[in-house]
Structure formats: structure tokens, C-alpha cells
Amino acid sequence: DTEVTQTPKHLVMGMTNKKSLKCEQHMGHRAMYWYKQKAKKPPELMFVYSYEKLSINESVPSRFSPECPNSSLLNLHLHALQPEDSALYLCASSQPRDRGYYEQYFGPGTRLTVT
Amino acid sequence: SQKIEQNSEALNIQEGKTATLTCNYTNYSPAYLQWYRQDPGRGPVFLLLIRENEKEKRKERLKVTFDTTLKQSLFHITASQPADSATYLCALNTGFQKLVFGTGTRLLVSP
């Protein structure tokens, strides 16, 4: 299984809502990532989990809260978002090799709209 | 500042021709460079990785070159097909776990 799955596909939420994005992989990868992608822009790294521990937080606002319950699952909890947070949220995973983590496998993304 | 730039304009070519996409970077010294393909509304798909000590890498109709002196990578698709139409992203490994993407180039292959 070389697939990364993400749910939901689409999400519309108000600025006072709390919601969660979910990501799952069954490739045995030990690193998982959250990216944010705005229209016609490249993906931007938000968080990295390595062996279920948060290893990188790219100065993301606290209204985004990541969680890695186990090596296959990654969540992104959303609270009090702003309209400018509307974007495609991508999850990815990768396997460590000799000197780092290399090719990443991406999910299809969750299209988030904040109203 | 650190930048990874790709052709900003869409690249239009005819089916059967070779598409050549460019990735230029400044203020990085990556050990690895990767190319991904992204279709609209989908996540990027990994295509090729090239190491700093490799000049060229091939996979089927794809070829990547990496010139660390020029700080440039070229990505070639030979015998291009309409199904190759997509956005192509180069990406640099800037740390143990960090991947930074270029601006992307949209490729359109017409029949």
C-alpha cells in the first residue's frame, strides 16, 4: 500500500468552529508532514513528526495544533481560524534513509474554506 | 534571501517534443534535489531524486541534471504526451527533514 489518505476532502468552517483534519499511511514511514498550499503557490511546510514526536514547527500560529497518535496517523486540529487560512492542506510521509528523509508521498489534500 | 525559482510562465509544447524545465536556487547548498508532479487539486507525486555528486539521473522518459556550481537543475521529458500536462515542482532538502519547494512550472502538451 503506497497511499496516503486524507479526510475530509473538503471542509467549510466558520471562524469560531473547531474541526480536525486526518491523515493516514500504512507504508511504515516514520516521518509525517503537514503542508499548506495556497492557489498557484508551492506547498509550504508547517509541521514535521519524526517517530511520533514533533520535530519541526515552522512558526505556525497556535490555532493550528498537530497531533500524532501513532506511527500511521496524523491529525491537524483547527480552532478560531481566519479566512486567510483557507487553502489546500496536504499530508505527506517519508522513510528515513542514510542521512535524512527524502522522497515524500503526499495525500490528495483537504480543501479548507474558512468563512 | 533563499530562493528556488522555476519558469514562471507556462510552458507550451507540442506532443512528441522534449520539454525542458529549469530550477534555479540561491543561498542553498542542498545535498539532494527532487522533482515532483502536481495535478490540479491533487497532492504532489514524487518523480526523481538526484544527489549533489550525481550529474544526471534518468527514469523512463524523464531526465534530470544537477549542476551545483551553477546552482541549477534541468528536468527533461522526452517524447512528451498530453498526459504529461501538469505543474512540475523542484524541491531541495534544506535540512535533515525539511523540503522546500520551488515556485513550479505549468507544462501544457498539446496534441
Side-chain angles (χ1 to χ4, degrees), chain A residues 37 42 50 55 58 101 104, chain B residues 32 36 38 93 96-98 102:
Chain A
Q37 187 174 26
S50 179
S55 57
E58 290 287 273
Y101 295 79
Q104 295 185 13
Chain B
Y32 306 85
Y36 288 78
Q38 187 173 25
N93 288 94
F96 185 68
Q97 294 173 316
K98 287 185 67 169

Side-chain angles (χ1 to χ4, degrees), chain B residues 46-61:
Chain B
F46 170 75
L47 296 175
L48 279 169
L49 177 150
I50 187 165
R51 293 175 170 77
E52 61 181 340
N53 59 354
E54 296 176 319
K55 295 290 186 194
E56 182 180 297
K57 201 83 169 276
R58 290 176 187 260
K59 179 183 174 184
E60 297 171 355
R61 294 185 295 113

Side-chain angles (χ1 to χ4, degrees), chain B residues 33-110:
Chain B
L33 187 145
Q34 303 182 39
W35 284 88
Y36 288 78
R37 169 188 172 139
Q38 187 173 25
D39 292 284
R42 309 283 298 174
V45 174
F46 170 75
L47 296 175
L48 279 169
L49 177 150
I50 187 165
R51 293 175 170 77
E52 61 181 340
N53 59 354
E54 296 176 319
K55 295 290 186 194
E56 182 180 297
K57 201 83 169 276
R58 290 176 187 260
K59 179 183 174 184
E60 297 171 355
R61 294 185 295 113
L62 308 180
K63 184 177 89 170
V64 173
T65 62
F66 191 14
D67 188 326
T68 54
T69 303
L70 290 179
K71 293 186 180 292
Q72 181 181 78
S73 175
L74 299 179
F75 177 78
H76 307 272
I77 306 176
T78 58
S80 59
Q81 305 164 359
D84 295 325
S85 298
T87 294
Y88 291 86
L89 298 157
C90 67
L92 305 182
N93 288 94
T94 62
F96 185 68
Q97 294 173 316
K98 287 185 67 169
L99 198 61
V100 178
F101 285 88
T103 49
T105 297
R106 189 166 166 227
L107 174 66
L108 298 169
V109 182
S110 51

